[in-house]
Amino acid sequence: MSRALATDSHSILGAARQASPAALDPARLPAHVAVIMDGNGRWARRRGLPRVMGHRAGVEALKRTLRLCSDWGIGALTAYAFSTENWNRPGEEVSFLMALFERVLQRELQALERERVRIRFLGDLTPLPEGLQRLIAEATGRTAANDGIHFNVCTNYGGRAELVGAARRLAERAARGELDPAAIDEASFAAELHTAGECDPDLLIRTSGEQRISNFLLWQLAYAELHITEVLWPDFDEAALLAALLDYQNRQRRFGGIDPAH
Ligand code: FPP
């Protein structure tokens, strides 16, 4: 969170600012949290509601999570909003999601600006409805210089497509003679990804109990700690986020090395 905000009485999207829970060690928070927001459809079905109502409730859960991450001092939140495979859903649901993204952006842009959130949309945005593309460009531009939490919304995102795109761009530069293939290293490859400039996620949270990566941030999650919870995304709340962060703080991160205590 931007320190400049610490004196405000209100925080992101109108809710009261939350102090970081005493159980959390502020020195060992993840710098970057990624979330696979799964279970919207099941949440709605359990209530006898149409699936799309689950997505609507999912937006509230995302706002709650963004606010808490910002308040507790997490530097970046990256959420999987729409995958390249999600186009295979019924047309009505896809249209609802696109309209929902537009509405949310329109409604929340001022609050994001006010709270100094830097929002970016990661993925191939060209197949999205034009109105949504315009709003995304506006939101990205208006918040680009903000010094608060980085909020990345993965939209028409696929990890394999992202890797193929990076490889293709590097190959094109090599074919034009602008790049020596021997000079390609992890840093130059990462610079071609949608997440260029962002540190890799330290923690991946997946809701609703599924134990899959689902083509999400395949490169970037190489050393992320995984937290899988049975909580359905629309029910993801402060207690669920705290549980994920405490789980993370109990892990020994070795990055392929050995634990010096053993
Ligand atoms: C999957 O649940 C969840 C999604 C497809 C994400 C929908 C997107 C949002 C809630 C956030 C949009 C936010 C912004 C800022 C534009 P599911 O339908 O797969 O659930 P199921 O597995 O129970 O069917």
Side-chain angles (χ1 to χ4, degrees):
M1 182 189 73
S2 140
R3 294 298 154 221
L5 287 175
T7 52
D8 298 350
S9 60
H10 279 73
S11 94
I12 284 175
L13 315 173
R17 187 174 303 287
Q18 303 277 318
S20 157
L24 276 180
D25 176 355
R28 291 176 49 245
L29 281 171
H32 185 172
V33 173
V35 281
I36 300 181
M37 309 180 287
D38 201 11
N40 292 351
R42 275 162 283 175
W43 181 91
R45 196 168 59 237
R46 284 180 196 175
R47 285 166 176 72
L49 296 169
R51 287 178 55 80
V52 294
M53 296 304 283
H55 297 316
R56 215 180 252 178
V59 169
E60 295 310 309
L62 184 56
K63 283 163 55 176
R64 202 155 57 223
T65 305
L66 176 63
R67 170 168 45 80
L68 289 165
C69 286
S70 172
D71 288 355
W72 293 354
I74 290 165
L77 175 69
T78 298
Y80 206 1
F82 195 88
S83 75
T84 45
E85 290 72 35
N86 285 156
W87 296 108
N88 298 326
R89 293 187 173 208
E92 262 181 31
E93 183 173 339
V94 170
S95 309
F96 180 92
L97 279 168
M98 295 299 145
L100 180 70
F101 295 172
E102 275 197 50
R103 264 204 318 277
V104 171
L105 261 186
Q106 241 157 5
R107 208 171 50 206
E108 306 295 350
L109 180 54
Q110 276 196 335
L112 293 170
E113 278 192 286
R114 191 174 60 241
E115 301 299 337
R116 311 210 53 77
V117 175
R118 191 202 72 180
I119 191 169
R120 288 204 305 188
F121 286 78
L122 313 185
D124 175 10
L125 307 180
T126 51
L128 302 178
E130 275 181 23
L132 178 56
Q133 288 189 48
R134 268 196 302 276
L135 270 171
I136 287 176
E138 187 187 349
T140 307
R142 276 169 52 178
T143 65
N146 284 354
D147 56 5
I149 190 169
H150 294 178
F151 179 35
N152 303 310
V153 185
C154 291
T155 312
N156 192 30
Y157 174 88
R160 287 184 172 180
E162 179 185 39
L163 294 173
V164 168
R168 188 182 298 132
R169 279 188 299 281
L170 290 169
E172 283 166 357
R173 291 203 341 243
R176 287 197 301 267
E178 297 164 8
L179 176 69
D180 174 3
I184 298 172
D185 57 9
E186 292 189 10
S188 57
F189 197 89
E192 294 296 328
L193 302 175
H194 296 301
T195 46
E198 195 77 88
C199 65
D200 287 342
D202 304 292
L203 169 65
L204 170 70
I205 301 171
R206 179 160 190 159
T207 55
S208 90
E210 309 292 349
Q211 307 198 9
R212 287 188 292 275
I213 297 289
S214 298
N215 204 15
F216 189 44
L217 301 176
L218 295 179
W219 170 283
Q220 299 87 339
L221 291 173
Y223 288 104
E225 297 296 328
L226 308 184
H227 175 84
I228 292 165
T229 170
E230 293 297 324
V231 172
L232 302 178
W233 177 251
D235 291 328
F236 194 81
D237 59 5
E238 180 171 346
L241 179 63
L242 179 58
L245 295 173
L246 290 173
D247 186 20
Y248 170 81
Q249 292 196 331
N250 280 324
R251 305 282 177 90
Q252 292 288 336
R253 302 190 76 198
R254 293 197 294 269
F255 299 98
I258 56 164
D259 181 354
H262 290 89

